[in-house]
Amino acid sequence: MGRPPGVLAVQGDFEKHLDAFAALGRADALEVRSQEDLEKVGSLVIPGGESTTVGLLLERFGLGEAIQERAKSGMPIWGTCMGMILLAKDIEGLDQFRLGLLDITVRRNAFGAQVHSFEDEVKFKGMATPVTGVFIRAPIVVRTGKGVEELADYEGKIVAVRQGNRLGTSFHPELTGDNRIHEWFLGFEN
Ligand code: GLN
């Protein structure tokens, strides 16, 4: 086993990701809050949370730049919900901080004000049975660039993508107890 997986733990829903990795035998997964922490991990999950807040913090402490560098040298990275927003190249209509590591445009809070939160089955490419998509003020992908593969859609809206060893999901697999996507992510080449 190589370096442990990391979960960005600046703000938001990071603990459940650590639990999911522990359930898969990676109880050594680390919380990442600094550039020093980042050096210790072999992959990184950016969890759900508030993208404007976390974006500001990433920018202020130089951690955003360090994540970009590690990703460019091959570190697998996965964003769930807010994490996918922060990974996007473009955020529709907004110029808030983003890492720009997935060639996609996202629309924040895309399921509208009335539907803050819901869950439903989502067919996920490569998975034998659907996953449960927990959507919490979730974004969708409204543009995919070259080299971006769609992994899942929900009612015609793209809700999961992959570009090389970078992954984005609109929903929260860490809240379901079904750790298949975490397991898959652990196998990404580093
Ligand atoms: N709506 C949040 C944002 O735009 C994301 C919500 C989440 O991560 N659950 O940052």
Side-chain angles (χ1 to χ4, degrees):
M1 281 200 294
R3 282 187 279 184
V7 183
L8 186 72
V10 172
Q11 183 260 351
D13 157 43
F14 55 88
E15 277 166 357
K16 296 284 185 190
H17 281 289
L18 294 165
D19 293 346
F21 285 130
L24 293 165
R26 297 297 322 229
D28 59 341
L30 289 174
E31 296 178 10
V32 173
R33 293 196 178 80
S34 65
Q35 298 187 39
E36 210 182 13
D37 295 338
L38 185 67
E39 281 164 24
K40 297 181 192 142
V41 301
S43 60
L44 185 70
V45 171
I46 305 183
E50 182 50 48
S51 59
T52 43
T53 309
V54 175
L56 278 175
L57 294 170
L58 289 182
E59 198 175 12
R60 190 165 310 159
F61 300 112
L63 188 53
E65 225 171 291
I67 292 171
Q68 285 165 326
E69 276 167 28
R70 283 294 310 278
K72 279 170 191 158
S73 60
M75 177 185 70
I77 188 162
W78 172 20
T80 57
C81 201
M82 169 199 82
M84 184 173 80
I85 297 169
L86 286 175
L87 286 179
K89 193 164 168 196
D90 295 301
I91 303 169
E92 196 178 63
L94 296 165
D95 71 353
Q96 66 188 79
F97 177 85
R98 81 290 310 261
L99 294 162
L101 293 167
L102 278 174
D103 187 11
I104 58 174
T105 303
V106 294
R107 179 180 301 155
R108 287 179 62 189
N109 303 318
F111 290 97
Q114 286 125 325
V115 193
H116 280 318
S117 178
F118 63 95
E119 60 178 77
D120 208 345
E121 285 194 347
V122 175
K123 277 193 198 131
F124 196 95
K125 199 169 175 182
M127 302 288 167
T129 55
V131 300
T132 300
V134 179
F135 295 88
I136 304 168
R137 301 186 66 224
I140 58 168
V141 177
V142 294
R143 178 195 64 85
T144 53
K146 225 176 134 201
V148 177
E149 185 186 0
E150 285 181 37
L151 298 173
D153 67 84
Y154 182 74
E155 294 181 342
K157 295 167 175 139
I158 303 170
V159 293
V161 291
R162 174 188 191 173
Q163 184 171 19
N165 61 4
R166 301 173 188 167
L167 194 60
T169 55
S170 299
F171 49 89
H172 291 263
E174 76 284 5
L175 298 179
T176 62
D178 173 354
N179 298 323
R180 285 178 292 167
I181 303 177
H182 288 82
E183 191 174 14
W184 184 49
F185 178 71
L186 284 176
F188 279 22
E189 294 287 311
N190 194 355

